[in-house]
C-alpha cells in the first residue's frame, strides 16, 4: 500500500465492519460455549445461536457499479479500492475498457485467478449460475496479486474483443437497437467488434476483498440488457448500487435506458449516482463560485431526470481522486468530491449492514435469554417444591413415606397416560407440516414455469410470455397466501394444546408467535413483476432468441425456488421452536418425577438419605441462582460490547 495515501473512508469503514463482525461472532460463540457447559436444555437456544453464528461467519457484502461505456466506472473503482497499489489495477482510459461484466472477490475455496466465460455461451440456454459450476468452460489466467503491474497487465484481458459478422453479433445479443445499428462501423469484410468474453470472475487475495467484499462491475447496455441474471438477480441483491454518469455528457439516452429498465425498478439495494468527470467543468476562466454553480446545476438536472433526491447524486472526478491518492495530494482529493460518495457508500455498505446484523443478533439473544430464564424459573419452582415436600417429611413415620410413594407413582402413571396426548399432537402437527412441505416442494412450485419454458423453447415466435407469467405468478402467490392461512391453523392448534398441557401438568409453555409471510410475499411480488416487465414488448427482439428466453425463465425459476425454500426453512424453524418448548418441559418433568421416586425409595430404606437429598436440593437451588446470574452477565456482555 502507498504509505503517503490516507486510508479511504470506505476502506476504513470496511475494516471497522469486519472487526466488529469478527468480535460479534466470537461473543456469540462464547455464549454458546458457556451454555453448552451449563447443562441447560438448549434444544431451542442452540439453533437460534447457530443461525446467527453462520450468518456472521458467512456475511458477504456486494457493491455493484453500473454504467454505459466511457463513463469512467473502472477508474472510479480504482480510486475507491485500489489506489494503494500506486497505479491503475482495472483497465481504464479512453474508449471502451472493461468489456464484460465482472465479479471481483476473494474466496480461497474457489480457484484463484482470472476466469473468463466465452461470449459464445450466450447461444446456449444455461444460466450464469449453471456455467459457474462448469469450470472447464472458462478460460483461466493466473493473477500475480503481489505484483501490481503484473496484476494490471493480466486484467487487460477484460478488454479483449473479437470481430464477427453482424448476424453472429445479433445472435449473441448485440446491435438490435436502431440507434446502435445506425452508428454501426463494419470493416471491409462486413464484420463488427464485440467483446470476447461474456463474464469474468476475478478471485484474488486483497485486504478488502478478504473481509467479504465483492465488487460487481457491469459495463454497458448490451452487457446489462443481455444478461437477465445481472438485471434481475445480481444487481437487486447488491447492498448498494452505484450508477455512474459523465458530468460532461449528462444523462444520455442510453444512460436513461439503463436506469429506467435495469436500475430504477431495483429493490433491496440503496442506489447512488456518481456524476463522474466533474473536472471537465473546472473551467479556469470561471470563478470558484461559478464552477460550483455549474456543478450544482448539473447535479440538480441529473436528479430531476432520474427522479432522485439531489442528495443521492455525487459529483466526483475519479481520475483526479486516483491521482491525488497516488501522489498524496489532499487538496486535490478534497476537490475530487470522492469523500462524499465514499461516506454514502460507507453508510449503505457498513453502517446500515452492521445495524441490520446487530439487530438480528440482539433479537436472537433476547429470545435465548427469555427461553432459558423461563426454563430456570421452572427448575427453581420444581426444586423448591421438592425441598418443601422433603422438609415436611422430617420426623414423620415410614407410613407417610409409603403413602407419598403411592401418590407419586399414581402421578407418574397419570403423566405417562397424558403423554399419549403429546404423541397425538406431534402426529397431527407432522401431518400439517408435511402438507406445507408439499405446497413448497420445488417440483410442485416450478411445474408451471417448466411447462412455460418447454413451450417457449419450441415456439417459433415468443408471444404470450407476459400473460403466462402473470398467471403463474398469481398462482404461486396464492400458494403463499394459503400457506400463511395453514400456518395460522397450526399455530392455533398448538396454542390450544399448550394451554391444556399447562393446565393439566403445570407446564409454562407459551403459545407460538404469529408467523407472517408478508415480507417474503412482497419480495416475491417484486421478483415476478420485474421478470414479467422484462419479458414484455420492449424486449421483444431479444425474446425471439431462444437461448435468451430460456436463460431468463430459468433464472426466474431459480429465484422462485430460492424464495420458496427460504419460506419453508422459516416455517420449519418456527414449528421446531414451538414444539421444542413442550418437549423440553416433558423431559424435565420426567426427570423430576423419576428423581422424586428415587429419593423417596431411598428414604424408605434409610433416614440418612432424606438429609442428603435435602442438601442436594438446597445446592441445586443455589446453582440455579448462579446459572441465572451467569446467563444475565453473559447476555449483558454480549449486547453491550
Amino acid at each position: 500500500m502507498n504509505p503517503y495515501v490516507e486510508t479511504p473512508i470506505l476502506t476504513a469503514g470496511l475494516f471497522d465492519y469486519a472487526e466488529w463482525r469478527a468480535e460479534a461472532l466470537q461473543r456469540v460463540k462464547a455464549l454458546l460455549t458457556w451454555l453448552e457447559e451449563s447443562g441447560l436444555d438448549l434444544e431451542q437456544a442452540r439453533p437460534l445461536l447457530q443461525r446467527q453464528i453462520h450468518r456472521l461467519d458467512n456475511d458477504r457484502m456486494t457493491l455493484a457499479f453500473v454504467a454505459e461505456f466511457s463513463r469512467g466506472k473502472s477508474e472510479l473503482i480504482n480510486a475507491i479500492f485500489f489506489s494503494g497499489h500506486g497505479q491503475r489495477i482495472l483497465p481504464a482510459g479512453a474508449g471502451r475498457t472493461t468489456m464484460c461484466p465482472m465479479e471481483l472477490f476473494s474466496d480461497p475455496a474457489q480457484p484463484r485467478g482470472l476466469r473468463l466465460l466465452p461470449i459464445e455461451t450466450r447461444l446456449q440456454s444455461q444460466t450464469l449460475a449453471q456455467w459457474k459450476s462448469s469450470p472447464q468452460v472458462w478460460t483461466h489466467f493466473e493473477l500475480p496479486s503481489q505484483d501490481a503491474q503484473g496484476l494490471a497487465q493480466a486484467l487487460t484481458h477484460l478488454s479483449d474483443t473479437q470481430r464477427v459478422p453482424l448476424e453472429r453479433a445479433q445472435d449473441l445479443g448485440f446491435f438490435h437497437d436502431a440507434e446502435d445499428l445506425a452508428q454501426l462501423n463494419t470493416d471491409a469484410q462486413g464484420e463488427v467488434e464485440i467483446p470476447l468474453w461474456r463474464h469474468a470472475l476475478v478471485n484474488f487475495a486483497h485486504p478488502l476483498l478478504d473481509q467479504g467484499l465483492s465488487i460487481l462491475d457491469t459495463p454497458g447496455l448490451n452487457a446489462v440488457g443481455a444478461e437477465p441474471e445481472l438485471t434481475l438477480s445480481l444487481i437487486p441483491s447488491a447492498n448498494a448500487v452505484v450508477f455512474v454518469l459523465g458530468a460532461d455528457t449528462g444523462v444520455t439516452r442510453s444512460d436513461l435506458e439503463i436506469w429506467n429498465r435495469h436500475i430504477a425498478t431495483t429493490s433491496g439495494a440503496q442506489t447512488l449516482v456518481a456524476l463522474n468527470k466533474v473536472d471537465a467543468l473546472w473551467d479556469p476562466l470561471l470563478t470558484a463560485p461559478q464552477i460550483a454553480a455549474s456543478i450544482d446545476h448539473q447535479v440538480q438536472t441529473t436528479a430531476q431526470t432520474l427522479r432522485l433526491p439531489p442528495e443521492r447524486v455525487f459529483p466526483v472526478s475519479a481520475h483526479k481522486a486516483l491521482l491525488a491518492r497516488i501522489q498524496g495530494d489532499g487538496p486535490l482529493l478534497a476537490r475530487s468530491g470522492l469523500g462524499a460518495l465514499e461516506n454514502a457508500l460507507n453508510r449503505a455498505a457498513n453502517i446500515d449492514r452492521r445495524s441490520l446484523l446487530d439487530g438480528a443478533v440482539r433479537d436472537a439473544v433476547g429470545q435465548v435469554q427469555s427461553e432459558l430464564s423461563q426454563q430456570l424459573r421452572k427448575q427453581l419452582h420444581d426444586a423448591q417444591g421438592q425441598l418443601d415436600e422433603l422438609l415436611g417429611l422430617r420426623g414423620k413415620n415410614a407410613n407417610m413415606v409409603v403413602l407419598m410413594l403411592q401418590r407419586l407413582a399414581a402421578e407418574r402413571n397419570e403423566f405417562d397416560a397424558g403423554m399419549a396426548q403429546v404423541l397425538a399432537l406431534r402426529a397431527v402437527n407432522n401431518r400439517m407440516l408435511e402438507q406445507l412441505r408439499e405446497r413448497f416442494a420445488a417440483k410442485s412450485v416450478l411445474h408451471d414455469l417448466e411447462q412455460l419454458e418447454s413451450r417457449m423453447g419450441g415456439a417459433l415466435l415468443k408471444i404470450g410470455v407476459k400473460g403466462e407469467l402473470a398467471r403463474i405468478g398469481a398462482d404461486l402467490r396464492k400458494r403463499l397466501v394459503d400457506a400463511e392461512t395453514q400456518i395460522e391453523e397450526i399455530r392455533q392448534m398448538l396454542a390450544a394444546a399448550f394451554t391444556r398441557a399447562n393446565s393439566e401438568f403445570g407446564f409454562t409453555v407459551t403459545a407460538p408467535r404469529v408467523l407472517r409471510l408478508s415480507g417474503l410475499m412482497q419480495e416475491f411480488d417484486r421478483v415476478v413483476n420485474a421478470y414479467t416487465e422484462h419479458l414484455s414488448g420492449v424486449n421483444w427482439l431479444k425474446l425471439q432468441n431462444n437461448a435468451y428466453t430460456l436463460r431468463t425463465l430459468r433464472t426466474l425459476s431459480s429465484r422462485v425456488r430460492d424464495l420458496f425454500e427460504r419460506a419453508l426453512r422459516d416455517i420449519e424453524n418456527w414449528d421446531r421452536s414451538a414444539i421444542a418448548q413442550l418437549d423440553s418441559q416433558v423431559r424435565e418433568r420426567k426427570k423430576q418425577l423419576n428423581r422424586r421416586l428415587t429419593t423417596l425409595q431411598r428414604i424408605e430404606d434409610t433416614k440418612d438419605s432424606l438429609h442428603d437429598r435435602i442438601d442436594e436440593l438446597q445446592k441445586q437451588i443455589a446453582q440455579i441462582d448462579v446459572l441465572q446470574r451467569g446467563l444475565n452477565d453473559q447476555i449483558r456482555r454480549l449486547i453491550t460490547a
Side-chain angles (χ1 to χ4, degrees), residues 289-533:
Q290 288 174 322
I291 293 173
S294 176
I295 293 173
D296 183 65
H297 173 73
Q298 194 74 308
V299 168
Q300 296 295 330
T301 301
T302 300
Q304 185 176 13
T305 302
L306 301 181
R307 298 180 182 178
L308 273 180
E311 56 267 23
R312 290 175 64 184
V313 179
F314 298 86
V316 298
S317 171
H319 172 70
K320 301 304 182 189
L322 179 61
L323 180 65
R325 281 193 166 140
I326 291 174
Q327 297 181 345
D329 188 335
L332 181 60
L333 180 61
R335 194 180 185 194
S336 75
L338 190 63
L341 175 61
E342 286 187 324
N343 264 324
L345 275 174
N346 186 52
R347 173 159 294 281
N350 301 325
I351 300 173
D352 292 348
R353 185 68 176 164
R354 172 171 171 169
S355 177
L356 180 67
L357 282 181
D358 187 48
V361 169
R362 287 173 180 271
D363 287 345
V365 168
Q367 290 182 54
V368 167
Q369 184 178 27
S370 176
E371 190 272 324
L372 294 181
S373 293
Q374 180 180 332
Q375 187 182 135
L376 287 170
R377 285 193 299 271
K378 188 71 172 64
Q379 289 181 8
L380 180 62
H381 177 271
D382 292 342
Q384 188 63 54
Q386 291 181 59
L387 179 60
D388 293 342
E389 183 179 67
L390 295 183
L391 287 173
L393 285 177
R394 282 177 170 173
K396 300 292 175 64
N397 57 34
N399 289 334
M400 179 63 72
V401 176
V402 172
L403 287 173
M404 290 189 65
L405 270 170
Q406 293 173 347
R407 188 164 65 241
L408 189 55
E411 183 180 341
R412 189 173 70 170
N413 290 336
E414 183 182 348
F415 179 78
D416 289 342
M419 287 306 95
Q421 299 175 19
V422 174
L423 293 175
L425 171 67
R426 270 192 162 282
V428 173
N429 180 73
N430 288 339
R431 281 198 302 271
M432 297 179 76
L433 196 59
E434 191 56 38
Q435 291 173 359
L436 277 171
R437 289 193 182 100
E438 291 174 3
R439 189 183 297 278
F440 284 89
K443 185 175 181 180
S444 173
V445 167
L446 300 181
H447 177 267
D448 286 349
L449 281 171
E450 289 171 352
Q451 291 290 103
L452 176 60
E453 180 183 314
S454 176
R455 191 158 64 253
M456 287 299 108
L460 184 61
L461 290 177
K462 318 301 184 188
I463 58 176
V465 181
K466 184 174 182 179
E468 278 293 288
L469 274 188
R471 181 191 63 77
I472 293 171
D475 290 344
L476 289 173
R477 196 182 197 284
K478 187 175 184 303
R479 284 177 181 259
L480 294 174
V481 173
D482 292 344
E484 194 173 66
T485 300
Q486 197 168 348
I487 291 166
E488 180 58 20
E489 291 174 359
I490 293 175
R491 191 194 72 81
Q492 292 181 11
M493 182 270 294
L494 291 177
F498 291 172
T499 299
R500 287 196 303 272
N502 291 344
S503 175
E504 293 177 16
F505 304 114
F507 288 165
T508 55
V509 186
T510 57
R513 63 182 174 85
V514 175
L515 178 63
R516 299 293 185 206
L517 301 180
S518 52
L520 186 132
M521 279 191 260
Q522 289 174 5
E523 186 174 353
F524 173 82
D525 290 342
R526 287 195 296 267
V527 169
V528 172
N529 289 339
Y531 275 83
T532 302
E533 289 305 313

Side-chain angles (χ1 to χ4, degrees), residues 57-75:
D57 199 24
N58 294 277
D59 181 62
R60 294 293 179 267
M61 186 182 305
T62 300
L63 303 182
F65 290 79
V66 185
E68 184 57 286
F69 288 110
S70 302
R71 302 298 185 263
K73 173 177 49 57
S74 296
E75 191 82 323

Side-chain angles (χ1 to χ4, degrees), residues 149-425:
Q149 188 170 355
L151 176 61
Q153 180 61 37
L155 290 178
T156 59
H157 286 293
L158 296 170
S159 305
D160 290 346
T161 61
Q162 61 179 320
R163 300 196 74 83
V164 298
L166 175 59
E167 184 179 351
R168 175 79 168 176
Q170 290 179 322
D171 288 341
L172 291 167
F174 299 97
F175 308 116
H176 288 296
D177 185 271
E179 185 170 324
D180 285 342
L181 288 171
Q183 299 176 359
L184 193 62
N185 291 317
T186 57
D187 59 18
Q189 289 74 38
E191 294 184 332
V192 294
E193 185 181 63
I194 64 169
L196 183 61
W197 311 111
R198 173 184 176 184
H199 199 80
L201 299 174
V202 184
N203 180 12
F204 75 102
H206 181 279
L208 284 176
L209 304 179
D210 291 341
Q211 305 305 321
L213 172 69
S214 295
I215 299 170
L216 176 63
D217 180 357
T218 56
L221 181 59
N222 276 326
V224 179
E227 299 289 357
E229 277 173 278
L230 284 176
T231 305
L232 302 166
S233 181
L234 294 178
I235 293 174
S237 63
N239 298 96
V241 176
V242 180
F243 184 51
V244 186
L245 298 169
D248 52 342
T249 60
V251 184
T252 67
R253 188 198 62 80
S254 60
D255 289 328
L256 192 58
E257 188 172 358
I258 291 179
W259 174 262
N260 287 334
R261 289 171 56 181
H262 305 300
I263 301 178
T265 57
T266 295
S267 56
Q270 182 170 341
T271 304
L272 308 173
V273 174
L275 193 57
N276 194 24
K277 303 184 181 181
V278 73
D279 54 298
L281 304 180
W282 296 353
D283 188 338
L285 299 179
L286 297 178
T287 64
Q290 288 174 322
I291 293 173
S294 176
I295 293 173
D296 183 65
H297 173 73
Q298 194 74 308
V299 168
Q300 296 295 330
T301 301
T302 300
Q304 185 176 13
T305 302
L306 301 181
R307 298 180 182 178
L308 273 180
E311 56 267 23
R312 290 175 64 184
V313 179
F314 298 86
V316 298
S317 171
H319 172 70
K320 301 304 182 189
L322 179 61
L323 180 65
R325 281 193 166 140
I326 291 174
Q327 297 181 345
D329 188 335
L332 181 60
L333 180 61
R335 194 180 185 194
S336 75
L338 190 63
L341 175 61
E342 286 187 324
N343 264 324
L345 275 174
N346 186 52
R347 173 159 294 281
N350 301 325
I351 300 173
D352 292 348
R353 185 68 176 164
R354 172 171 171 169
S355 177
L356 180 67
L357 282 181
D358 187 48
V361 169
R362 287 173 180 271
D363 287 345
V365 168
Q367 290 182 54
V368 167
Q369 184 178 27
S370 176
E371 190 272 324
L372 294 181
S373 293
Q374 180 180 332
Q375 187 182 135
L376 287 170
R377 285 193 299 271
K378 188 71 172 64
Q379 289 181 8
L380 180 62
H381 177 271
D382 292 342
Q384 188 63 54
Q386 291 181 59
L387 179 60
D388 293 342
E389 183 179 67
L390 295 183
L391 287 173
L393 285 177
R394 282 177 170 173
K396 300 292 175 64
N397 57 34
N399 289 334
M400 179 63 72
V401 176
V402 172
L403 287 173
M404 290 189 65
L405 270 170
Q406 293 173 347
R407 188 164 65 241
L408 189 55
E411 183 180 341
R412 189 173 70 170
N413 290 336
E414 183 182 348
F415 179 78
D416 289 342
M419 287 306 95
Q421 299 175 19
V422 174
L423 293 175
L425 171 67

Side-chain angles (χ1 to χ4, degrees), residues 558-574:
S558 177
R559 291 291 303 278
V560 169
R561 183 178 60 249
D562 289 346
L563 284 172
F564 273 73
E565 286 177 351
R566 196 172 81 206
L568 183 57
R569 283 196 303 272
D570 289 346
I571 292 167
E572 289 179 331
N573 288 334
W574 168 83

